[in-house]
Amino acid sequence: MNEIKHIAIKDLTAAPDNPFKVQMGTEMEQLIESIAENGVITPIIARESKNGKYEIISGHRRKFACEYLGLNTVPVLLRELNRNEAAITLVDSNLQREHLLPSEKAFAYKLKMDALSVQGKRTDLTCGQVGHKSRDMLSEAESGRQIQRYIRLTYLIPELLQKVDEGRIALTPAVELSYLTEQEQQTLLSEMEYADATPSLSQAIRLHRFCQEGRLNRDVIYAVMSEEKANQKDKLKIPAERVRKFFPKDYTAAQMEEEIVKMCESRYRRRQRDRDSR
C-alpha cells in the first residue's frame, strides 16, 4: 500500500522513538508561512497504527505547522513498513535538514544503527574504519568515526547533553565525558555549576583517564574543574567612549589602553613608595 489520502490531523500520532525536536523557531515560522501560502506540497509519510490511527514516519514538523494554522486534514502517503523500516525512513528523511542539534544526530544515528542491526545489515560502528556500504546506510554526510562520536553522546546525562546542544560543551570533550558513569557525571555537573565553568578537552581527557583507572571521585573532579583556564580568566572591558575625552582625538583603542596601564603602574609605584616611607 503506497497511496495518498487526506487524513484528519487528530488521527496522526508521533513516532514513539522520534529523536527530532519539533519546536517554534525561524525554520518553523518559514514552514508555516509556506504552507499558509501554498498548502502542504510534500505529503506526510505515515503507516497504519492501532485503533484507526496513523503513526507519522516523516512530517512531524508539517503536522505541527498545519495544527498551528488550524487545518483539519493533511495529505498523507501511507506506506507498509515494519517498525525497523519505519525507524530507518524516519532518520533518513530528517538527517538532510540543515540545522540539527547534536542530541538529535546522536539519537538518530543510534536509532538507525539499532534498526539496521535488527535487520541483519552491517553497521561496523565498533571501529574507526567503516566500509562504504555501511557508511552510506547511516549517512552520506558523516564519516563512520564521526557517527561513533555522535552515538557516544547518548550516554551523557540529559543536563550535560543539553549543554552540548547549547554549545557550552564541544563535541570532542563531550565524547570523553560520555565514558563517565552516571553518578560521576552528576558529580561533574555539580562541580561545573559551582566553578561556573565547563571542561576543556584536556580536562575531559583527564577525567576520562581517572575514570578508567578507578580514581575519579568528587575531590578529583573538584581539583580538575577548579583549574583556571586561559579563556576563563577575568577580563576588564572599558567602553572607549567612557575614556576617549581624556586622550587626543587621533588615539586608537590600543594606544588608550597602553596609556591607562602606564597610569595604573605609575599610581601603584607611588603607593608603594608612600608605604615604604612610613
Side-chain angles (χ1 to χ4, degrees):
M1 175 178 63
N2 285 293
E3 56 179 318
I4 297 178
K5 290 184 176 181
H6 275 78
I7 293 177
I9 291 179
K10 64 181 180 63
D11 291 332
L12 292 172
T13 62
D17 44 12
N18 177 30
F20 302 99
K21 296 178 174 61
V22 178
Q23 52 195 2
M24 186 60 77
T26 302
E27 288 186 350
M28 180 59 73
E29 290 173 355
Q30 293 173 345
L31 178 59
I32 291 173
E33 183 178 347
S34 174
I35 292 177
E37 292 180 359
N38 308 303
V40 180
I41 298 175
T42 304
I44 290 173
I45 300 176
R47 66 178 191 141
E48 286 193 26
S49 184
K50 297 178 181 179
N51 304 320
K53 302 293 183 179
Y54 301 88
E55 180 185 304
I56 299 174
I57 298 172
S58 172
H60 295 83
R61 296 170 69 250
R62 273 165 281 167
K63 180 199 174 190
F64 179 94
C66 290
E67 285 180 315
Y68 183 89
L69 291 169
L71 302 181
N72 296 317
T73 63
V74 289
V76 177
L77 173 62
L78 295 177
R79 297 187 60 184
E80 292 183 350
L81 298 173
N82 62 34
R83 176 70 264 149
N84 295 308
E85 291 170 339
I88 293 169
T89 304
L90 168 65
V91 173
D92 286 345
S93 63
N94 282 277
L95 277 179
Q96 306 307 316
R97 282 165 47 195
E98 184 177 356
H99 301 294
L100 288 175
L101 295 171
S103 63
E104 292 177 309
K105 283 189 175 184
F107 285 100
Y109 284 138
K110 187 177 188 304
L111 176 63
K112 185 169 182 179
M113 184 192 71
D114 291 343
L116 290 171
S117 297
V118 171
Q119 289 187 336
K121 294 181 179 179
R122 292 175 53 209
T123 54
D124 295 342
L125 291 178
T126 56
C127 64
Q129 298 297 322
V130 180
H132 290 297
K133 251 187 179 179
S134 14
R135 180 167 63 246
D136 291 343
M137 286 178 185
L138 284 155
S139 169
E140 295 180 357
E142 307 280 4
S143 68
R145 175 66 176 172
Q146 190 75 340
I147 289 170
Q148 288 183 58
R149 286 150 58 84
Y150 275 113
I151 290 177
R152 279 302 316 176
L153 298 184
T154 64
Y155 293 89
L156 290 173
I157 60 175
E159 295 87 348
L160 290 181
L161 185 55
Q162 182 177 346
K163 293 184 185 301
V164 180
D165 281 345
E166 294 169 347
R168 297 182 60 190
I169 301 179
L171 175 62
T172 305
V175 171
E176 297 291 335
L177 300 177
S178 72
Y179 290 94
L180 275 58
T181 66
E182 182 176 340
Q183 182 57 53
E184 289 167 343
Q185 291 185 42
Q186 291 287 357
T187 302
L188 171 62
L189 179 65
S190 175
E191 295 301 333
M192 285 169 54
E193 293 173 348
Y194 179 80
D196 191 22
T198 56
S200 65
L201 176 56
S202 171
Q203 290 173 319
I205 290 173
R206 278 181 288 144
L207 291 170
H208 181 188
R209 186 176 69 247
F210 286 131
C211 173
Q212 288 177 312
E213 296 171 352
R215 296 193 292 143
L216 191 61
N217 55 40
R218 181 174 290 276
D219 290 339
V220 172
I221 294 174
Y222 172 78
V224 172
M225 292 308 301
S226 296
E227 298 169 352
E228 185 177 52
K229 298 193 286 289
N231 63 348
Q232 291 178 333
K233 292 181 179 178
D234 289 338
K235 295 181 179 180
L236 175 63
K237 295 183 179 180
I238 303 176
E241 57 269 19
R242 289 195 62 188
V243 296
R244 181 164 294 283
K245 64 181 180 180
F246 302 116
F247 298 94
K249 292 183 179 180
D250 59 346
Y251 260 42
T252 64
Q255 288 174 313
M256 288 190 290
E257 179 182 341
E258 182 65 23
E259 289 295 325
I260 291 172
V261 171
K262 286 180 180 178
M263 286 187 283
C264 290
E265 289 175 343
S266 176
R267 183 179 180 187
Y268 175 77
R269 285 194 293 269
R270 285 199 304 270
R271 290 176 61 188
Q272 286 294 99
R273 286 196 299 269
D274 292 343
R275 184 178 299 162
D276 293 340
S277 64
R278 290 176 184 174

